[in-house]
Amino acid sequence: LWTQVLERLQLQLSRPSFESWIKTANAERLEDNSLTICTPNAFHRNWLQKRYIKTIADTVQDILGYPVEIHVTVAQGDESVRFAESEVARSSPSNDTTPKASPSNNVKPPELNQKYVFSRFVVGSNSRMAHAAALAVAESPGREFNPLFLCGGVGLGKTHLMQAIGHYRLEIDANSKIFYVSTEQFTNDLIASIRKDSMQSFREHYRAADILLVDDIQFIEGKEYTQEEFFHTFNTLHEAGKQVVLASDRPPNQIPKLQARLCSRFSMGLIADIQPPDFETRMAILQKKAEYENMRLPRNVIEYIASNYTSNIRELEGALIRAVAYISISGLSMTVENLRPVLNPGIEKVAASAESVMMVVADVYDVSVEDLKGNSRRREISWARQIGMYLMRQYTDLSLPRIGEEFGGKDHTTVLYSCEKISQLKDSDPSLEQKLRQLADRISITSRSRN
Ligand code: ADP
Ligand code: MG
């Protein structure tokens, strides 16, 4: 049965998903209406449960003709379990909810991520000022820097710092009302309140905050009604000496379509920016993260990651997590050499689009995209087409049938044949391998510039 399931899943899923998550799992037993699948570790189990359980159940039902319940278990004795589980927990915000303030009708309770505390924030020269300001605000809210406006690029720690203020405050006074909200959430609450004719409770809710943390305020651009309402919320809080903290990917005066009066309000406290971290700071962040998660990594592996992921701390951490997951699944040892395939920063950062694969292949092999989608059997064209199918399989998330569609409605077996052929040739032909790598780089660049 499991072999049949695997065969079918291979057709439905992309190659990386299939190889990392499905092929490495095993069917343990089938009893009555329940199938138990065994995975190498907890990280793997959670991932299967989250992403693939339905697909697997449907496939099994298809083959057996009746529905079965799928249970996923973990093989005994895996050390990475603790580490991996904590990552999975982090990715689902419901685990991190602190049920503090009582919500009024339409307004959700605040959610603070338990990991976003000061003690886990590594201070470097890039974030010294923002960190000091956040700490000052946490110690005496509503005094000096009101509002505190944190700005900096994606993944540089704005949300982390902002929530750290909340945690710190709650430690001092568990009753203080800390509201963390994204701008989007604020807008949604507002819209819901208008619909339900409950503006009163919306206003009461937001204006009762001791500290109001509003994330990604740049998204307020052009939303006239939200700006109007937020202006009043802001003023009420500010006049009452309550603290407002805002985070944005750019300073107030660069947010387009922001009312002048809001722009001036946002700028009246302190604007503190966070820059990308330097190498030393990146090393320190990785070390701290590894320490917290009880991971031992060779120094050169940490250096390798720190030197390849430079502009976004979320990606830096993501690379570390991927490395650990990969090692625990593959059973390889933790060396830079073994990690290269998963940590290749070029192609890894941006999932390639089918379109970019088409464009690059057409360009490099000097054929047209129509040729690639067509049925011509001319040698150069069918070669380019096979290369294209192979690359699409390697660097996109598309399944074999979907790739077939991209190439003008070819059968999935044709796609599979091409992928296997190119893959075999590549193994015995270094010049082809090099060519494929160049193509991959170009696809990566093309995908990125079009994102
Ligand atoms: P932003 O809100 O600026 O996009 P986040 O606050 O969400 O970024 O940070 C992204 C990830 O990087 C989070 O997991 C956060 O804990 C981590 N991080 C960011 N800055 C630091 C830092 N200085 N020290 C430790 N972890 C950090
Ligand atoms: Mg953020």
Side-chain angles (χ1 to χ4, degrees):
L1 168 75
W2 190 240
T3 326
Q4 278 184 47
V5 174
L6 289 183
E7 275 170 11
R8 294 203 185 191
L9 289 176
Q10 184 168 19
L11 296 180
Q12 292 177 42
L13 303 171
S14 74
R15 194 190 57 98
S17 319
F18 180 78
E19 304 217 318
S20 333
W21 307 111
I22 309 290
K23 224 168 116 181
T24 43
N26 265 311
E28 207 166 58
R29 57 181 180 276
L30 177 67
E31 289 165 337
D32 304 327
N33 295 336
S34 120
L35 173 70
T36 308
I37 297 172
C38 184
T39 55
N41 53 48
F43 178 77
H44 196 131
R45 178 197 62 201
N46 294 346
W47 196 262
L48 261 196
Q49 274 172 341
K50 225 161 94 190
R51 305 275 303 260
Y52 300 112
I53 199 91
K54 177 130 191 353
T55 317
I56 298 176
D58 288 350
T59 309
V60 173
Q61 176 172 1
D62 235 28
I63 296 172
L64 292 175
Y66 57 88
V68 278
E69 218 173 289
I70 311 280
H71 298 280
V72 191
T73 63
V74 180
Q76 295 302 308
D78 181 78
E79 290 194 4
S80 65
V81 167
R82 221 188 57 75
F83 168 70
E85 270 193 326
S86 64
E87 287 311 324
V88 173
R90 189 186 62 154
S91 65
S92 73
S94 59
N95 293 343
D96 297 326
T97 306
T98 9
K100 283 280 166 8
S102 66
S104 59
N105 311 351
N106 320 317
V107 188
K108 286 217 191 118
E111 290 179 357
L112 293 182
N113 185 321
Q114 292 305 325
K115 292 189 177 180
Y116 291 170
V117 290
F118 280 119
S119 58
R120 297 186 75 149
F121 190 87
V122 175
V123 187
S125 53
N126 62 311
S127 61
R128 202 172 303 285
M129 155 130 147
H131 175 264
L135 203 55
V137 161
E139 270 163 5
S140 42
R143 297 271 176 76
E144 272 168 285
F145 310 126
N146 203 10
L148 172 61
F149 194 98
L150 297 168
C151 67
V154 178
L156 292 183
K158 302 181 298 293
T159 301
H160 186 142
L161 262 188
M162 167 176 245
Q163 295 202 3
I165 297 174
H167 282 300
Y168 187 99
R169 204 60 216 158
L170 284 169
E171 238 167 66
I172 294 177
D173 175 6
N175 291 324
S176 59
K177 293 205 173 112
I178 312 293
F179 293 175
Y180 168 81
V181 68
S182 64
T183 299
E184 205 179 7
Q185 171 91 54
F186 184 87
T187 301
N188 291 345
D189 285 351
L190 178 61
I191 294 169
S193 304
I194 296 168
R195 284 225 183 92
K196 293 187 192 157
D197 204 12
S198 57
M199 276 306 292
Q200 185 66 18
S201 73
F202 173 90
R203 290 189 175 137
E204 277 168 14
H205 172 81
Y206 279 106
R207 295 176 193 188
D210 292 316
I211 302 185
L212 179 62
L213 310 164
V214 186
D215 211 342
D216 291 317
I217 194 74
Q218 75 272 8
F219 291 135
I220 206 167
E221 86 164 81
K223 294 180 182 152
E224 283 303 317
Y225 205 86
T226 306
Q227 292 195 13
E228 177 73 26
E229 191 59 36
F230 189 69
F231 178 74
H232 295 297
T233 306
F234 182 96
N235 286 344
T236 308
L237 290 172
H238 198 265
E239 275 158 27
K242 307 297 185 181
Q243 178 73 43
V244 178
V245 182
L246 306 163
S248 164
D249 67 356
R250 65 201 95 155
N253 61 8
Q254 285 173 31
I255 301 176
K257 291 187 236 147
L258 177 67
Q259 294 173 4
R261 56 182 189 165
L262 269 179
C263 185
S264 84
R265 292 291 185 292
F266 291 175
S267 315
M268 67 197 267
L270 176 73
I271 301 177
D273 75 335
I274 309 183
Q275 295 293 327
D278 58 19
F279 180 73
E280 297 304 320
T281 309
R282 298 200 299 277
M283 286 291 288
I285 289 171
L286 290 172
Q287 270 153 354
K288 185 152 204 162
K289 175 101 185 156
E291 197 179 299
Y292 263 107
E293 311 290 2
N294 255 342
M295 287 298 313
R296 274 170 183 275
L297 289 107
R299 193 181 161 81
N300 65 341
V301 166
I302 298 195
E303 275 171 2
Y304 177 72
I305 298 175
S307 49
N308 277 297
Y309 293 83
T310 56
S311 58
N312 179 331
I313 297 171
R314 187 176 294 114
E315 282 184 5
L316 183 73
E317 289 186 336
L320 179 75
I321 292 159
R322 240 186 3 261
V324 172
Y326 178 71
I327 291 302
S328 87
I329 290 166
S330 66
L332 295 169
S333 55
M334 181 71 88
T335 63
V336 169
E337 215 25 68
N338 286 339
L339 287 174
R340 240 183 261 284
V342 268
L343 295 183
N344 175 352
I347 200 80
E348 205 54 36
K349 273 189 195 159
V350 182
S353 64
E355 194 194 3
S356 64
V357 174
M358 287 299 207
M359 279 170 32
V360 169
V361 171
D363 187 39
V364 170
Y365 286 94
D366 201 18
V367 297
S368 69
V369 170
E370 289 74 53
D371 286 338
L372 293 174
K373 295 187 183 216
N375 291 316
S376 163
R377 299 191 151 270
R378 248 177 54 216
R379 225 175 140 262
E380 311 87 82
I381 294 177
S382 81
W383 176 248
R385 197 181 290 133
Q386 289 177 338
I387 296 271
M389 289 177 177
Y390 169 85
L391 290 167
M392 212 176 274
R393 184 66 173 159
Q394 290 286 318
Y395 297 115
T396 71
D397 261 349
L398 302 179
S399 65
L400 293 171
R402 283 281 296 112
I403 294 175
E405 282 168 31
E406 289 293 334
F407 283 87
K410 307 282 186 300
D411 195 69
H412 69 80
T413 51
T414 310
V415 180
L416 187 59
Y417 169 80
S418 304
C419 294
E420 284 178 353
K421 176 177 160 191
I422 301 295
S423 164
Q424 276 169 17
L425 286 174
K426 175 195 80 159
D427 288 344
S428 53
D429 178 357
S431 72
L432 176 61
E433 204 205 298
Q434 200 190 346
K435 180 99 187 180
L436 290 170
R437 204 157 337 119
Q438 286 165 359
L439 283 159
D441 285 344
R442 284 201 42 187
I443 290 167
S444 159
I445 292 163
T446 311
S447 302
R448 215 173 318 174
S449 63
R450 310 186 113 238
N451 263 344

